[in-house]
Amino acid sequence: MKIIITGSLGNVAKPLAEQLITENHDVTVISSSEVRRSEIESLGAKAAIGSVSDVQFLKETFKGADAVFLMTPPLVSDNNIVKNTIEIGRNYAEAVASNNINRLVMLSSVGADSPIENGPIASLHHIEKIYSELESVSSTFLRAGYFYTNFMNDIPLIKTTGIIGANYSAEVKVPLVHPKDIAKAAAEELVKITSDQKIRYVVGDNRKAGDFATVFGAAIDKPDLPWVEFTDEQSFEGMSQARLPEEMAKLYEEMGRGIRNGIVQEDFIKYGSPIDGETKLEDFAKEFADRLIS
């Protein structure tokens, strides 16, 4: 199959490209960076260098494709983050429709069922709807848990203050996933011949936030590492001090509140809290420890 992958050589896109290439598919990877070209080609894929904000570039790149893997890049900007992210989804949809592509797999998120109280996930709610309205397109929405790799952002906090936390309590359960498990699920879905519209939850573990402190603490030889529940104001202030733009910090504060209130996890729980991925929190803790001491 001829398959287009968005996401450059990120945590999901790179292992996805590698797997599809080993299965002898014709893979094109879209990247905005020319410096990625040689690395993409060294994998055995074609490189399409351009902006996902450029509809004409996408239409040309999508020509002849049998399937596309669509993810919207994390937009760290000063304003209109959700609106601009949705606009990229519209660009993808226009390119899919103009090329009569009938298989689409989207990287979505746990919490995308809700248009409110989920921070940046709200954009994925609207993009799912855009894709589901495409005629003669079979779409699978991979609703992924919280990326384990996001915990790497907590390393400075642990090093400087000896704590880990967020604006929800130690008792709140959070669905988690490793990017490589998302890549595996995406590879499975892209090659399916189906006419269905489908939601697939991709979660490797579902753990209380307090376990993050316990498991990471054990892995880094800090068994007393505490989980601290921040107020919303403290959460926002901490992200602002880390130089996150104000609007993005507000969105992440809102997402944390949505996790605290259960809005983000609600539909995942209704589906029976399915565990689809292989990587458990304890497995990832080894990666976490390696990064912290490096």
Side-chain angles (χ1 to χ4, degrees), residues 72-73 75 81-87 89 106 108 111-112 114-116 118-130 251:
T72 48
L75 298 179
I81 293 169
V82 170
K83 178 184 176 183
N84 292 339
T85 303
I86 294 170
E87 206 52 43
M106 170 195 174
S108 187
S114 176
I116 59 168
N118 54 5
I121 300 171
S123 62
L124 302 177
H125 170 84
H126 294 288
I127 293 171
E128 280 192 11
K129 288 191 173 298
I130 291 168
L251 286 171

Side-chain angles (χ1 to χ4, degrees), residues 215-271:
V215 174
F216 293 152
I220 63 175
D221 200 26
K222 293 183 181 294
D224 297 325
L225 181 70
W227 176 268
V228 177
E229 180 180 1
F230 306 135
T231 65
D232 290 344
E233 293 76 15
Q234 289 170 332
S235 180
F236 173 76
E237 183 62 27
M239 287 183 283
S240 297
Q241 290 176 359
R243 301 180 182 274
L244 218 58
E246 180 178 354
E247 183 177 321
M248 179 60 80
K250 278 293 183 186
L251 286 171
Y252 278 123
E253 175 200 322
E254 180 185 289
M255 184 175 73
R257 187 167 63 245
I259 292 172
R260 182 177 74 227
N261 296 334
I263 291 172
V264 170
Q265 308 95 307
E266 184 177 3
D267 192 67
F268 171 70
I269 294 169
K270 284 181 181 177
Y271 266 72

Side-chain angles (χ1 to χ4, degrees), residues 3 5-10 13-14 17-18 21 27-50 57:
I3 299 174
I5 296 176
T6 58
S8 190
L9 291 179
K14 183 175 181 179
E18 289 172 335
I21 290 164
V27 175
T28 296
V29 176
I30 292 177
S31 176
S32 62
S33 174
E34 179 63 40
V35 299
R36 288 288 199 181
R37 182 184 295 276
S38 61
E39 188 179 356
I40 291 169
E41 292 175 348
S42 71
L43 294 178
K46 298 181 180 71
I49 308 301
F57 162 73

Side-chain angles (χ1 to χ4, degrees), residues 109-207:
S109 173
V110 170
D113 57 291
S114 176
I116 59 168
E117 282 299 298
N118 54 5
I121 300 171
S123 62
L124 302 177
H125 170 84
H126 294 288
I127 293 171
E128 280 192 11
K129 288 191 173 298
I130 291 168
Y131 294 163
S132 66
E133 292 170 0
L134 289 169
E135 292 185 9
S136 303
V137 178
S138 166
S139 299
T140 296
F141 306 125
L142 297 179
R143 289 188 179 170
Y146 185 82
F147 280 29
Y148 284 121
T149 48
N150 288 336
F151 286 114
M152 301 302 188
N153 298 325
D154 293 307
I155 288 176
L157 181 67
I158 293 172
K159 283 185 172 181
T160 57
T161 67
I163 65 173
I164 184 173
N167 56 333
Y168 44 86
S169 81
E171 295 302 308
V172 171
K173 275 192 167 184
V174 182
L176 307 165
V177 70
H178 198 288
K180 69 182 182 183
D181 289 333
I182 301 172
K184 181 180 178 182
E188 292 170 359
E189 293 295 337
L190 282 163
V191 299
K192 286 182 179 178
I193 300 173
T194 175
S195 59
D196 295 339
Q197 300 286 340
K198 170 181 163 182
I199 292 168
R200 176 175 173 177
Y201 278 98
V202 188
V203 172
D205 212 344
N206 188 30
R207 301 289 286 271

